[in-house]
Amino acid sequence: MKKFTGAVLAGAVIAASLVTGLTGCGKSSGATVKVGLLHSLTGPMAISEKSVRDAELLAIEEINKAGGVLGKQISYVEEDGASEPSTFATKAEKLIDSEKVATVFGCWTSSSRKAVKPMFEEYNSLLWYPVQYEGMEQSPNIIYTGAAPNQQIVPAIDYLISKGYKKFFLLGSDYVFPRTANMIITAQVKNAGLTVVGEEYADMDQTDFAAIISKIESAKPDVIVNTLNGTGNVSFFKQMSEKNYSAKDYMTMSFSIAEEEVATIGADILKDHLVSWNYYQTTATPVNKKFVDSYKAMFGAKRVTSDPAEAAYDAVYLWAAACEKAGSFKVEDVLAAIRTGSISFDAPEGKVVINGENQHLSKPVRVGQVGEDGLIYTVYETPSAVSPDPYLTTYDWAKGLSN
């Protein structure tokens, strides 16, 4: 990873216009403008990230058919983050410095996002990050199109509390998002006068959950709040099923299981379990029907859409809208357009708007339940879009969490 220190930093400041002009500006060539796609196509996160990449390809194809962006067709360069944060950082630098892409759509895990964040800031490039996350972050070089914690985590716990759940067991993969999410959840649960009866973490590539399941059995929770990611979800739920445990025995509320993961794990195993997102394939909007039909037409009738895929699809359209408003592909011009707070998209989930101050989206919140058919059905939704609050500044119980 390129680092600017000492005299090198001074030189970088003097040459800032060159760095911007050659890398982060969004150089276009002839009739095309080049973007980067950076996702895990291999490793434990591939189960989730391939669908995100596919949604980006769909958006690129649709925009190109409609005439492109500023009269140019979008071309793309794809790199595999291979489920390793260090690989993400290396590939991000390649896309920015060698490929000189106009922008990058990429990452899933917070570990991968945090690994590439310094790269985008150093080169003044722009990342569109499509997945819900733990918040407590704001980068001038990242647009966050997934949910902030007040648009997924907090309302999910509020929903569980409203349904009478009192004993919470927190289970997650061992990296940034689950640990920070569980810090938030613990504060929220304790503020409600309820109890966290256990907190366990699994390695990203862990496949044996026997010891963790034993701890769950001993703790006797009435709900498991699940922040496992990737193949960990497959192993955990299949091993719970082997013990004949269902949602009736141990209800789970998951933050990283969407339709793609349900298809892999099995609807018979996940039936009636809860999830929290902003979008489902079943979301009833005219725009969503077109999105689902187009996605299936491009990638196969058996494929399913999901919240992260939809947020990635939105990201490409929002970038195009920002470029059109700016009249430019240059990062500083695109960001200036975004900071007006006027960049929006009539998305499959409903209208989304980029908040010009924190570069997150206003989004509806939907708690869902897995059906027998493998699709997810909304059991609760907010009446309108929720403004992003990445640092949870509007919650008294969250004071001090970001320190």
Side-chain angles (χ1 to χ4, degrees):
M1 180 185 295
K2 187 172 182 178
K3 296 290 184 184
F4 296 141
T5 57
V8 177
L9 177 58
V13 172
I14 294 171
S17 62
L18 290 177
V19 173
T20 301
L22 295 177
T23 59
C25 73
K27 185 178 179 181
S28 58
S29 176
T32 64
V33 58
K34 184 164 59 173
V35 303
L37 308 183
L38 179 57
H39 297 292
S40 295
L41 306 180
T42 57
M45 288 307 303
I47 178 181
S48 298
E49 293 192 56
K50 285 181 179 178
S51 62
V52 174
R53 180 274 312 267
D54 288 348
E56 291 162 354
L57 295 181
L58 173 60
I60 289 170
E61 179 177 271
E62 289 179 349
I63 291 169
N64 282 341
K65 284 184 177 179
V69 185
L70 295 176
K72 294 182 181 289
Q73 294 285 287
I74 306 171
S75 64
Y76 68 90
V77 181
E78 183 170 25
E79 292 291 343
D80 180 10
S83 304
E84 290 289 343
S86 60
T87 303
F88 269 93
T90 300
K91 295 301 180 69
E93 184 166 37
K94 179 181 177 184
L95 288 170
I96 298 167
D97 195 33
S98 299
E99 297 290 347
K100 296 178 170 53
V101 297
T103 197
V104 176
F105 304 95
C107 301
W108 178 297
T109 68
S110 288
S111 295
S112 65
R113 186 193 70 254
K114 286 185 178 294
V116 305
K117 177 174 173 283
M119 201 72 59
F120 284 90
E121 293 174 350
E122 289 169 2
Y123 282 100
N124 189 34
S125 191
L126 185 60
L127 171 69
W128 297 77
Y129 177 66
V131 185
Q132 45 75 12
Y133 83 119
E134 70 284 353
M136 311 301 167
E137 180 180 295
Q138 182 178 332
S139 170
N141 297 86
I142 300 176
I143 309 299
Y144 306 79
T145 64
N150 73 304
Q151 297 166 319
Q152 186 201 32
I153 297 169
V154 174
I157 300 305
D158 280 342
Y159 177 81
L160 292 174
I161 293 170
S162 75
K163 293 300 178 182
Y165 292 100
K166 299 180 184 204
K167 296 166 62 179
F168 294 72
F169 192 102
L170 311 184
L171 171 62
S173 299
D174 194 4
Y175 75 101
V176 179
F177 168 63
R179 287 192 174 274
T180 307
N182 287 341
M183 176 182 69
I184 293 168
I185 293 163
T186 298
Q188 186 178 359
V189 167
K190 288 183 176 178
N191 181 68
L194 305 176
T195 308
V196 172
V197 296
E199 183 173 346
E200 291 293 327
Y201 296 92
D203 293 336
M204 285 294 293
D205 58 355
Q206 186 167 322
T207 57
D208 185 355
F209 282 82
I212 287 177
I213 292 173
S214 178
K215 290 180 180 179
I216 292 171
E217 292 169 329
S218 297
K220 295 181 172 58
D222 47 25
V223 65
I224 299 167
V225 182
N226 170 37
T227 50
L228 291 171
N229 261 274
T231 55
N233 274 314
V234 181
S235 298
F236 171 70
F237 279 101
K238 287 191 172 181
Q239 287 167 40
M240 288 287 280
S241 178
E242 287 167 2
K243 301 197 75 167
N244 294 317
Y245 291 142
S246 69
K248 292 180 181 178
D249 303 294
Y250 293 103
M251 175 60 76
T252 63
M253 170 68 80
S254 296
F255 297 147
S256 294
I257 287 183
E259 288 86 344
E260 195 78 33
E261 290 76 19
V262 175
T264 301
I265 296 167
D268 56 328
I269 292 175
L270 289 176
K271 179 181 176 295
D272 294 332
H273 285 288
L274 296 167
V275 298
S276 179
W277 295 99
N278 311 104
Y279 163 90
Y280 304 111
Q281 182 171 299
T282 58
T283 296
T285 67
V287 175
N288 186 40
K289 185 179 186 309
K290 178 180 178 295
F291 171 57
V292 173
D293 290 347
S294 298
Y295 189 88
K296 288 178 177 290
M298 188 168 183
F299 301 109
K302 292 185 178 180
R303 291 292 300 277
V304 289
T305 60
S306 65
D307 181 287
E310 190 262 357
Y313 176 84
D314 297 350
V316 182
Y317 272 97
L318 287 164
W319 169 75
C323 292
E324 292 284 354
K325 182 174 179 63
S328 169
F329 295 112
K330 292 182 179 180
V331 168
E332 59 267 34
D333 295 338
V334 172
L335 284 172
I338 287 169
R339 287 167 186 155
T340 66
S342 63
I343 304 301
S344 66
F345 176 53
D346 189 9
E349 69 185 74
K351 184 177 180 180
V352 294
V353 183
I354 305 178
N355 182 297
E357 295 182 0
N358 59 38
Q359 296 178 184
H360 294 64
L361 304 189
S362 295
K363 301 168 72 70
V365 177
R366 296 178 171 99
V367 174
Q369 192 161 32
V370 180
E372 291 182 357
D373 57 0
L375 296 181
I376 301 171
Y377 296 88
T378 300
V379 295
Y380 164 79
E381 64 182 307
T382 54
S384 60
V386 176
S387 296
D389 182 11
Y391 288 92
L392 298 176
T393 58
T394 57
Y395 300 88
D396 288 340
W397 54 260
K399 290 179 179 176
L401 291 181
S402 61
N403 294 336

